mmCIF file with all atom_site columns, all heavy atoms in Angstrom:
data_model
loop_
_atom_site.group_PDB
_atom_site.id
_atom_site.type_symbol
_atom_site.label_atom_id
_atom_site.label_alt_id
_atom_site.label_comp_id
_atom_site.label_asym_id
_atom_site.label_entity_id
_atom_site.label_seq_id
_atom_site.pdbx_PDB_ins_code
_atom_site.Cartn_x
_atom_site.Cartn_y
_atom_site.Cartn_z
_atom_site.occupancy
_atom_site.B_iso_or_equiv
_atom_site.pdbx_formal_charge
_atom_site.auth_seq_id
_atom_site.auth_comp_id
_atom_site.auth_asym_id
_atom_site.auth_atom_id
_atom_site.pdbx_PDB_model_num
ATOM 1  N N   . LEU A 1 264 ? 181.453 61.538 70.601 1.00 97.00 ? 264 LEU A N   1
ATOM 2  C CA  . LEU A 1 264 ? 180.493 61.205 69.558 1.00 97.00 ? 264 LEU A CA  1
ATOM 3  C C   . LEU A 1 264 ? 179.753 59.927 69.915 1.00 97.00 ? 264 LEU A C   1
ATOM 4  O O   . LEU A 1 264 ? 180.071 58.825 69.454 1.00 97.00 ? 264 LEU A O   1
ATOM 5  C CB  . LEU A 1 264 ? 181.210 61.078 68.212 1.00 97.00 ? 264 LEU A CB  1
ATOM 6  C CG  . LEU A 1 264 ? 181.878 62.361 67.722 1.00 97.00 ? 264 LEU A CG  1
ATOM 7  C CD1 . LEU A 1 264 ? 182.576 62.141 66.391 1.00 97.00 ? 264 LEU A CD1 1
ATOM 8  C CD2 . LEU A 1 264 ? 180.867 63.491 67.597 1.00 97.00 ? 264 LEU A CD2 1
ATOM 9  N N   . VAL A 1 265 ? 178.771 60.084 70.770 1.00 94.00 ? 265 VAL A N   1
ATOM 10 C CA  . VAL A 1 265 ? 177.892 58.992 71.177 1.00 94.00 ? 265 VAL A CA  1
ATOM 11 C C   . VAL A 1 265 ? 176.462 59.435 70.949 1.00 94.00 ? 265 VAL A C   1
ATOM 12 O O   . VAL A 1 265 ? 176.149 60.630 70.993 1.00 94.00 ? 265 VAL A O   1
ATOM 13 C CB  . VAL A 1 265 ? 178.111 58.598 72.645 1.00 94.00 ? 265 VAL A CB  1
ATOM 14 C CG1 . VAL A 1 265 ? 179.500 58.017 72.852 1.00 94.00 ? 265 VAL A CG1 1
ATOM 15 C CG2 . VAL A 1 265 ? 177.896 59.794 73.564 1.00 94.00 ? 265 VAL A CG2 1
ATOM 16 N N   . LYS A 1 266 ? 175.581 58.494 70.720 1.00 91.00 ? 266 LYS A N   1
ATOM 17 C CA  . LYS A 1 266 ? 174.188 58.835 70.445 1.00 91.00 ? 266 LYS A CA  1
ATOM 18 C C   . LYS A 1 266 ? 173.495 59.302 71.715 1.00 91.00 ? 266 LYS A C   1
ATOM 19 O O   . LYS A 1 266 ? 173.500 58.613 72.741 1.00 91.00 ? 266 LYS A O   1
ATOM 20 C CB  . LYS A 1 266 ? 173.454 57.629 69.859 1.00 91.00 ? 266 LYS A CB  1
ATOM 21 C CG  . LYS A 1 266 ? 172.071 57.966 69.322 1.00 91.00 ? 266 LYS A CG  1
ATOM 22 C CD  . LYS A 1 266 ? 171.399 56.763 68.690 1.00 91.00 ? 266 LYS A CD  1
ATOM 23 C CE  . LYS A 1 266 ? 170.893 55.813 69.757 1.00 91.00 ? 266 LYS A CE  1
ATOM 24 N NZ  . LYS A 1 266 ? 169.989 54.790 69.203 1.00 91.00 ? 266 LYS A NZ  1
ATOM 25 N N   . ALA A 1 267 ? 172.902 60.495 71.652 1.00 88.00 ? 267 ALA A N   1
ATOM 26 C CA  . ALA A 1 267 ? 172.176 61.041 72.788 1.00 88.00 ? 267 ALA A CA  1
ATOM 27 C C   . ALA A 1 267 ? 170.811 60.376 72.908 1.00 88.00 ? 267 ALA A C   1
ATOM 28 O O   . ALA A 1 267 ? 170.285 59.825 71.938 1.00 88.00 ? 267 ALA A O   1
ATOM 29 C CB  . ALA A 1 267 ? 172.019 62.553 72.627 1.00 88.00 ? 267 ALA A CB  1
ATOM 30 N N   . ARG A 1 268 ? 170.248 60.425 74.083 1.00 85.00 ? 268 ARG A N   1
ATOM 31 C CA  . ARG A 1 268 ? 168.932 59.836 74.303 1.00 85.00 ? 268 ARG A CA  1
ATOM 32 C C   . ARG A 1 268 ? 167.913 60.501 73.373 1.00 85.00 ? 268 ARG A C   1
ATOM 33 O O   . ARG A 1 268 ? 167.815 61.707 73.304 1.00 85.00 ? 268 ARG A O   1
ATOM 34 C CB  . ARG A 1 268 ? 168.497 60.023 75.751 1.00 85.00 ? 268 ARG A CB  1
ATOM 35 C CG  . ARG A 1 268 ? 167.071 59.566 76.020 1.00 85.00 ? 268 ARG A CG  1
ATOM 36 C CD  . ARG A 1 268 ? 166.686 59.735 77.469 1.00 85.00 ? 268 ARG A CD  1
ATOM 37 N NE  . ARG A 1 268 ? 167.351 58.758 78.313 1.00 85.00 ? 268 ARG A NE  1
ATOM 38 C CZ  . ARG A 1 268 ? 167.110 58.640 79.629 1.00 85.00 ? 268 ARG A CZ  1
ATOM 39 N NH1 . ARG A 1 268 ? 166.278 59.464 80.234 1.00 85.00 ? 268 ARG A NH1 1
ATOM 40 N NH2 . ARG A 1 268 ? 167.743 57.717 80.337 1.00 85.00 ? 268 ARG A NH2 1
ATOM 41 N N   . GLY A 1 269 ? 167.163 59.683 72.664 1.00 83.00 ? 269 GLY A N   1
ATOM 42 C CA  . GLY A 1 269 ? 166.142 60.184 71.767 1.00 83.00 ? 269 GLY A CA  1
ATOM 43 C C   . GLY A 1 269 ? 166.642 60.538 70.386 1.00 83.00 ? 269 GLY A C   1
ATOM 44 O O   . GLY A 1 269 ? 165.839 60.831 69.500 1.00 83.00 ? 269 GLY A O   1
#
Side-chain angles (χ1 to χ4, degrees):
L264 297 179
V265 295
K266 190 177 76 168
R268 174 179 288 185

